[in-house]
Amino acid sequence: MNTWIAIILAAVAVYSWKIIGAYVPQRLMEKPVIARIAGLLTVALMAGLIGIQGFTSGGQLHADARIPALVVAGLLTWRKAPFIVMVAAAAVVAWVLRAYLGWA
Amino acid sequence: MANFNKNLLTTSVGVGLATGFYGISFGALSSAAGLDLWQTMALSLLMFSGGSQFAFVAIAAGGSPALAAAITSAWLLGIRNGFYSVRMVPILKVFGAKKLAAAMLTIDESMAVGTAQELEEDQRRGFWWTGMAVYVFWNAATFVGALVGQSLGSPEQWGLDAAAAAAFVGLIWPRLRERQALIVAAIALGVATFVSPYVPAGMPVLLAGGVAVLFGVFNWFGVRGRDEVAAVETATGESRP
């Protein structure tokens, strides 16, 4: 599939929820089971992405400088650091470990 | 404009600036994932939902076989916006083109500022002003970030691969207050990580989503006897004020 087509399809797909919410009867969206799945989906997909982005590389398990970077990111998030500071700090930790300490 | 509320305008623009600012990290990570400047901009202009955008580029980095999974993941992450739309309908009372525009601007921040106001008039203004402020700053920052990202070269060299993982830590954090969410997050992380050597790129994240469906349907580790409003508040993550 072409990347452009994927971008357009994904944008339409994301927008579709906003439209559905604005037009479908309120009762349907507020069923507890639907609301629960929706909330947990967000959590599960993001957690899955942390796993993929943090601990795998090219489809293989892979532990490297990203792990200490993630620990720092977690600590900073817990200490309520701004999002961009936390993300930049993670990059710096990984970069320093690789460039100066020879980590993978 | 009667009863012009300066504090509300300050809040809206402030939230827009703060949120927009991390569009820089999105732009940079999108470039690092291999999307060009216009593809990155198209995501911010048309998709306009941070979590979905970060997920899309992270998975699309796996190449063309992963694109279907990238679309699906972005779509599933956008579901919470549907709940925000439901909440905004009785407040906004708009129709036609304005309703379509309101839907576009329905995101964590516009809903949060809107619903936090006391007067209905302010709820509407808070929603529109915050939505528009975030839209403008988010897109401007994406542009800057994409340019920076393009000039950096290989993502690993500058630790951008670690930054991509860190972005999801920041996005998931406010949603982990309940025990059920924590357990689902831990299992989903484990599933996605450990199945990745055995399934095609993109699939691990979708399997992680399956964990949410199981726990949602059976309400394992859930709180019993909650009313519908409470369930919806969990769904929408009661995002940051």
Side-chain angles (χ1 to χ4, degrees), chain B residues 28-209:
Chain B
L29 292 175
S30 179
S31 288
L35 274 74
D36 70 28
L37 177 64
W38 299 114
Q39 290 170 336
T40 301
M41 284 313 296
L43 283 171
S44 279
L45 288 164
L46 303 175
M47 189 179 283
F48 190 52
S49 186
S52 295
Q53 289 180 231
F54 277 107
F56 183 89
V57 299
I59 302 170
S64 131
L67 286 177
I71 296 170
T72 313
S73 301
W75 177 59
L76 292 174
L77 274 171
I79 192 169
R80 69 185 188 287
N81 294 320
F83 290 86
Y84 301 159
S85 282
V86 170
R87 230 196 253 191
M88 293 314 297
V89 166
I91 296 172
L92 293 175
K93 300 191 186 90
V94 286
F95 303 95
K98 238 181 160 179
K99 188 160 187 166
L100 297 179
M104 190 67 192
L105 295 181
T106 301
I107 50 166
D108 303 72
E109 292 79 13
S110 54
M111 186 279 300
V113 174
T115 55
Q117 308 308 314
E118 258 177 56
L119 301 173
E120 214 182 73
E121 183 86 17
D122 284 342
Q123 292 180 338
R124 276 194 286 274
R125 286 178 183 155
F127 170 86
W128 284 107
W129 289 346
T130 306
M132 288 189 277
V134 174
Y135 192 85
V136 169
F137 293 123
W138 176 255
N139 279 289
T142 299
F143 188 78
V144 174
L147 290 181
V148 172
Q150 281 182 337
S151 62
L152 287 181
S154 139
E156 286 80 14
Q157 193 187 343
W158 300 101
L160 284 181
D161 54 341
F168 290 109
V169 173
L171 292 171
I172 199 175
W173 194 267
R175 302 173 189 281
L176 292 183
R177 263 171 270 171
E178 295 207 356
R179 186 179 57 159
Q180 189 179 36
L182 260 173
I183 293 170
V184 166
I187 297 175
L189 192 153
V191 166
T193 307
F194 291 105
V195 299
S196 22
Y198 310 105
V199 297
M203 274 301 286
V205 178
L206 298 181
L207 291 171

